Amino acid sequence: DKIRVKPHHSRLEGTAVFFRKLRDRDVRVESETADFAALSRSARLIVFGYESSGVTHALVNDFPFVFLMEQGLDRLLPTMRPVYQRLMDAGIAFCDAAQMADRVAQIEQEIPGWWRSEPVRSALHDFSEVFCRRSAHPVADLATLLKVPAQP
C-alpha cells in the first residue's frame, strides 16, 4: 500500500529532493531495489527517478507511474517534445523533483481516479502511439523497417 520509487544510481540528488519533500508531507514512500515485476505487484504508484525502459513497461501494463526527466525537453528531438509536453501537462513527467513530489502528494489518496482521468489517458495514448506501438505482425514490421533501399 505504498508508493514505490525506483531511483537511478547515478542521479540520486533529484530522488533525494523528492523523498524529503514527500516525507515532510507524511506520504509513505520507500525506495525500491527489487526487480520491476516485484515492484509493480506491490505498488499503488511507481515513481521513476529517471527515464527508464520501465516507463514503457509500466505503460503497456497499465501500472500508474510518474517519472523524472531532469534534463528537460530541450535535449529531445523537436518532433518528440510535444508528446513529452503532454505527459508533463498531465502530471506524469516532471523536470523538477520537487514539483513531482508536490503532484504525488496531491494524488496520493486518489491514484486510481487520477490514472483514469481524461488528461492522463489522452497523454498516455499519444505517447503509446509514438513509442509503444503493438503490432499484429512484429517480425514483418521489423523486416520492413530494417530494409535497406537498393543502391542506384
Side-chain angles (χ1 to χ4, degrees), residues 2 19 32 34 41-42 50 59 68 88 91 99 105 108 112 119 143 146:
K2 293 182 177 140
F19 273 111
E32 183 63 61
R41 282 193 304 271
S42 63
Y50 60 104
L59 176 61
L68 185 62
M88 292 175 72
Q99 289 175 352
E108 191 247 340
L146 296 176

Side-chain angles (χ1 to χ4, degrees), residues 59 82-92 117-129:
L59 176 61
V83 177
Y84 275 83
Q85 185 63 56
R86 297 263 337 261
L87 293 176
M88 292 175 72
D89 294 345
I92 300 165
S117 70
E118 194 282 327
V120 168
R121 299 319 294 176
S122 178
L124 292 172
H125 176 267
D126 291 353
F127 186 85
S128 294
E129 286 298 306

Side-chain angles (χ1 to χ4, degrees), residues 3-6 18 22 44-52 54-55 58-59 63-69 87-88 90-94 97 99-101 103-105 107 111 114-115 120 124:
I3 294 172
R4 308 270 184 187
V5 178
K6 190 108 173 118
F18 176 81
L22 282 179
R44 293 182 300 127
L45 177 71
I46 301 170
V47 177
F48 293 97
Y50 60 104
E51 295 168 80
S52 156
V55 169
L59 176 61
F63 299 135
F65 68 92
V66 295
F67 69 96
L68 185 62
M69 40 185 278
L87 293 176
M88 292 175 72
I92 300 165
F94 299 86
Q99 289 175 352
M100 185 171 68
R103 183 64 173 155
V104 169
I107 65 169
I111 291 170
W114 164 77
W115 190 246
V120 168
L124 292 172

Side-chain angles (χ1 to χ4, degrees), residues 2-149:
K2 293 182 177 140
I3 294 172
R4 308 270 184 187
V5 178
K6 190 108 173 118
H8 191 283
H9 65 284
S10 67
R11 291 194 178 92
L12 294 177
E13 179 56 34
T15 306
V17 168
F18 176 81
F19 273 111
R20 275 194 306 276
K21 194 124 168 101
L22 282 179
R23 285 191 179 128
D24 290 346
R25 292 172 159 223
D26 294 324
V27 175
R28 289 176 44 201
V29 182
E30 68 181 43
S31 183
E32 183 63 61
T33 57
D35 68 279
F36 189 81
L39 175 68
S40 59
R41 282 193 304 271
S42 63
R44 293 182 300 127
L45 177 71
I46 301 170
V47 177
F48 293 97
Y50 60 104
E51 295 168 80
S52 156
S53 60
V55 169
T56 54
H57 181 81
L59 176 61
V60 167
N61 289 287
D62 202 27
F63 299 135
F65 68 92
V66 295
F67 69 96
L68 185 62
M69 40 185 278
E70 289 180 299
Q71 296 175 342
L73 295 175
D74 292 339
R75 67 166 180 77
L76 299 173
L77 292 171
T79 56
M80 296 171 62
R81 290 178 191 155
V83 177
Y84 275 83
Q85 185 63 56
R86 297 263 337 261
L87 293 176
M88 292 175 72
D89 294 345
I92 300 165
F94 299 86
C95 295
D96 179 83
Q99 289 175 352
M100 185 171 68
D102 288 342
R103 183 64 173 155
V104 169
Q106 284 177 338
I107 65 169
E108 191 247 340
Q109 295 300 316
E110 191 42 53
I111 291 170
W114 164 77
W115 190 246
R116 295 281 168 233
S117 70
E118 194 282 327
V120 168
R121 299 319 294 176
S122 178
L124 292 172
H125 176 267
D126 291 353
F127 186 85
S128 294
E129 286 298 306
V130 175
F131 299 109
C132 304
R133 289 188 186 153
R134 292 187 183 193
S135 171
H137 308 287
V139 174
D141 290 343
L142 184 60
T144 300
L145 291 169
L146 296 176
K147 188 183 249 182
V148 177

